[in-house]
Amino acid sequence: ATYPLFIDARRGDFRLGFGSPALDGGERGPATPAFDLAGKPRIAGAGLDLGPFEGAFGPGTSLLPIRIRVPEDAPTIQEAMDRGVSGDRVVVAPGSYRENVDFRGKSLALSSSLGRGVTTILPARPDKPAVTLAARADVFARLSGFTLIGGGEAGTGVLGGGDVLLEDLDVRGFKGAGIASSGRILRCIATENGTGVLSSCCTRKLQTEIRDCVIEHNFTGIIPGGGGEPLVRVSGCAIRDNIGWGIYGYDSSLGLVEENLFEGNRGGIF
């Protein structure tokens, strides 16, 4: 038998530690649930992680996630993010928040309580990303339900990488990229940016999916990351009225492109 390297089995913490042989040790079957006990999607890596929790964990991660409310529990989003540990959830009440938010490499979920229509992040330093997510492959981060408005500087709305989930965002007015990230980008709006979505480089374990998004009125709609392998998928999106190309995919990792609307761009796909 091989020891699975649990975090602390004697105290009932059966999450897998870094280097565990149980990581990627299983295969998805018809009865495999979509999420683990902490609410993290299966599968995060090359295969199904054996046990109740997906992913590898280290010291400083919470076994039972807690919810930190803004402004009830913390006055700013960043203070709530700094207070949380990996596995926690930060929930933001409606309002406008002038700050730059950084996940600081933690596996956190940041969401609004009532959606992007009433919850806005305005970067205090417009030359910096409004929100910076994790960039490591072993960290899962989630951002959902915000409008991000740039200040006309050469900044970026969302800067992410690794295993991230971006959903139900409205990102506009950034001269750099509205969204610059790998991972899953779902039901987002990117408008009036330099590039609507710039997908960072991918690997076979960390592919990029852009689905059911509206990409419009940018200089360029989507620029897939480089690398040459078909690891970026674009489906169900409306890509329209961009000044340049809808998708500029020359020498990129552009893979599957299906069921998208291209309309009013200078060019469709390059």
Side-chain angles (χ1 to χ4, degrees), residues 45-111:
L48 180 71
D49 295 338
L50 301 177
F53 298 100
E54 187 76 11
F57 298 82
T61 59
S62 60
L63 178 59
L64 296 177
I66 65 171
R67 183 177 67 169
I68 304 171
R69 301 168 300 168
V70 179
E72 292 90 339
D73 302 320
T76 67
I77 299 174
Q78 188 60 55
E79 185 170 329
M81 302 295 283
D82 290 341
R83 185 181 302 178
V85 298
S86 290
D88 289 345
R89 180 184 178 193
V90 175
V91 181
V92 181
S96 293
Y97 299 83
R98 186 170 292 276
E99 54 183 304
N100 298 76
V101 178
D102 194 336
F103 279 56
R104 305 197 194 284
K106 300 177 184 178
S107 295
L108 295 169
L110 173 59
S111 63

Side-chain angles (χ1 to χ4, degrees), residues 100-236:
N100 298 76
V101 178
D102 194 336
F103 279 56
R104 305 197 194 284
K106 300 177 184 178
S107 295
L108 295 169
L110 173 59
S111 63
S112 65
S113 61
L114 293 179
R116 65 190 179 196
V118 291
T119 317
T120 302
I121 296 176
L122 304 162
R125 291 193 57 181
D127 60 322
K128 301 294 184 180
V131 180
T132 301
L133 285 85
R136 302 202 325 261
D138 58 346
V139 173
F140 172 76
R142 175 182 176 183
L143 176 68
S144 62
F146 292 92
T147 291
L148 281 63
I149 301 178
E153 302 290 337
T156 298
V158 179
L159 178 61
D163 187 11
V164 302
L165 171 61
L166 309 175
E167 57 182 355
D168 299 311
L169 303 175
D170 185 340
V171 187
R172 57 184 63 224
F174 292 90
K175 285 189 176 180
I179 298 173
S181 183
S182 59
R184 288 173 296 157
I185 303 168
L186 312 178
R187 301 181 303 279
C188 291
I189 300 171
T191 184
E192 299 176 358
N193 305 290
T195 300
V197 177
L198 172 63
S199 67
S200 52
C201 294
C202 312
T203 67
R204 290 191 177 276
K205 287 187 177 182
L206 291 173
Q207 302 184 17
T208 295
E209 178 185 14
I210 305 170
R211 176 160 53 88
D212 299 332
C213 294
V214 176
I215 315 293
E216 61 183 2
H217 302 296
N218 305 284
F219 186 83
T220 302
I222 298 173
I223 300 180
E229 293 189 75
L231 303 176
V232 178
R233 297 189 172 194
V234 183
S235 63

